[in-house]
DNA sequence: GTCCTGATCCTCT
DNA sequence: GAGGATCAGGACG
């Protein structure tokens, strides 16, 4: 399969479109310990005017990467223990992003199992904080662009990712009724609930 | 400065 | 199904 990073122009579009088209794409991380790859099976869109979006109340030290160039990573710390991985979308300065919520593990499975201290395939990447752990993504990647050769997203090997289901988002209160969560129908690697 | 909340996950019942 | 871990931001005084 081709492991060529998606171009900046892919991300510099409507956030919902990017969130849908990221489904089926591959998240690739060349870590010192080895290569891990996961197929994106679940995303959520966070947009301007959305109370749940960190950027909805202007720029702060924490959310500054969200206002950067499209195609940058925005990684943020939550609940004192976990990190979530987002990709910045739309034009620079707008402050929109897509949260990667779940992956189907493809390569580096044993590495993921070691990092997660879990054996089951469905326990490796079935949640935003889990996949960050399994992929070995660190907070130092915050604000980094995804066109390099360490951490990036590549087009999926299949043209058609399958049927995309649109539902309301998970685990948030503000804006909970907005249909901004997308996942691949039938995948057993999504974060359920 | 204090207080509260959260785009979570894990470990019990 | 419920509660704890654990900390940075944001709201308020």
């Amino acid at each position: 399969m081709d492991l060529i990073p998606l171009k900046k122009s892919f991300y510099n579009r409507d956030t919902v479109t990017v969130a849908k088209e990221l489904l089926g794409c591959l998240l690739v991380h060349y870590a010192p310990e080895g290569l891990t790859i996961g197929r994106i099976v679940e995303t959520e869109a966070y947009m301007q005017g959305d109370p749940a979006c960190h950027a909805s109340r202007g720029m702060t030290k924490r959310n500054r990467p969200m206002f950067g160039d499209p195609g940058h990573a925005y990684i943020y710390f939550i609940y004192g223990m976990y990190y979530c991985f987002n990709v910045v979308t739309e034009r620079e300065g707008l402050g929109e992003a897509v949260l990667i919520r779940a992956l189907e593990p493809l390569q580096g499975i044993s590495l993921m199992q070691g990092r997660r201290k879990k054996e089951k395939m469905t326990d490796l990447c079935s949640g935003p904080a889990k996949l960050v752990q399994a992929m070995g993504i660190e907070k130092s990647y915050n604000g980094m662009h995804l066109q390099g050769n360490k951490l990036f997203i590549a087009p999926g090997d299949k043209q058609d990712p399958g049927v995309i289901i649109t539902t309301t988002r998970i685990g948030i209160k503000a804006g909970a009724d907005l249909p901004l969560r997308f996942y691949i129908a039938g995948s057993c690697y999504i974060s359920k609930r």
Side-chain angles (χ1 to χ4, degrees), chain A residues 27 29 75 82-86 100 103 115-116 124-125 127-139:
Chain A
L27 181 60
H29 183 207
I75 299 167
Y82 296 108
Y83 294 96
C84 294
F85 175 70
N86 300 250
I100 310 298
L103 305 174
R115 285 175 179 144
R116 292 271 304 126
L124 296 180
C125 297
K130 296 181 191 176
L131 69 91
V132 166
Q133 248 184 36
M135 294 290 293
I137 297 171
E138 296 176 34
K139 62 179 183 299

Side-chain angles (χ1 to χ4, degrees), chain A residues 1 3 35-38 104-112 135:
Chain A
M1 63 183 88
L3 291 181
L35 169 66
T36 45
I37 300 178
E104 172 185 342
L106 292 184
Q107 281 201 27
I109 308 289
S110 58
L111 196 51
M112 292 183 183
M135 294 290 293

Side-chain angles (χ1 to χ4, degrees), chain A residues 36-193:
Chain A
T36 45
I37 300 178
R39 183 166 170 257
I40 298 171
V41 294
E42 184 179 349
T43 61
E44 281 179 6
Y46 286 86
M47 313 171 62
Q48 268 305 329
D50 171 6
C53 177
H54 288 178
S56 65
R57 288 189 201 120
M59 195 188 310
T60 65
K61 186 180 174 185
R62 175 214 221 177
N63 66 24
R64 193 177 55 227
M66 281 184 90
F67 292 88
D69 265 350
H72 278 233
Y74 170 49
I75 299 167
Y76 101 98
F77 190 54
I78 186 76
Y79 298 115
M81 319 176 75
Y82 296 108
Y83 294 96
C84 294
F85 175 70
N86 300 250
V87 188
V88 177
T89 60
E90 276 281 4
R91 62 182 184 277
E92 181 174 359
L94 198 61
E96 301 198 354
V98 173
L99 169 72
I100 310 298
R101 284 197 57 88
L103 305 174
E104 172 185 342
L106 292 184
Q107 281 201 27
I109 308 289
S110 58
L111 196 51
M112 292 183 183
Q113 289 169 329
R115 285 175 179 144
R116 292 271 304 126
K117 297 183 172 59
K118 297 279 179 186
E119 294 296 316
K120 277 178 59 181
M121 288 287 286
T122 49
D123 283 341
L124 296 180
C125 297
S126 56
K130 296 181 191 176
L131 69 91
V132 166
Q133 248 184 36
M135 294 290 293
I137 297 171
E138 296 176 34
K139 62 179 183 299
S140 60
Y141 288 106
N142 191 25
M144 191 184 187
H145 67 84
L146 297 174
Q147 273 83 49
N149 57 5
K150 289 190 75 174
L151 180 68
F152 59 89
I153 300 175
D157 46 349
K158 297 177 197 166
Q159 285 294 321
D160 181 12
V163 178
I164 295 175
I165 308 284
T166 302
T167 60
T168 54
R169 289 173 298 182
I170 284 187
I172 57 173
K173 291 179 181 171
D177 54 342
L178 297 173
L180 295 174
R181 174 187 180 221
F182 311 99
Y183 64 89
I184 295 178
S187 172
C188 58
Y189 297 103
I190 63 170
S191 66
K192 291 168 186 156
R193 218 194 281 196

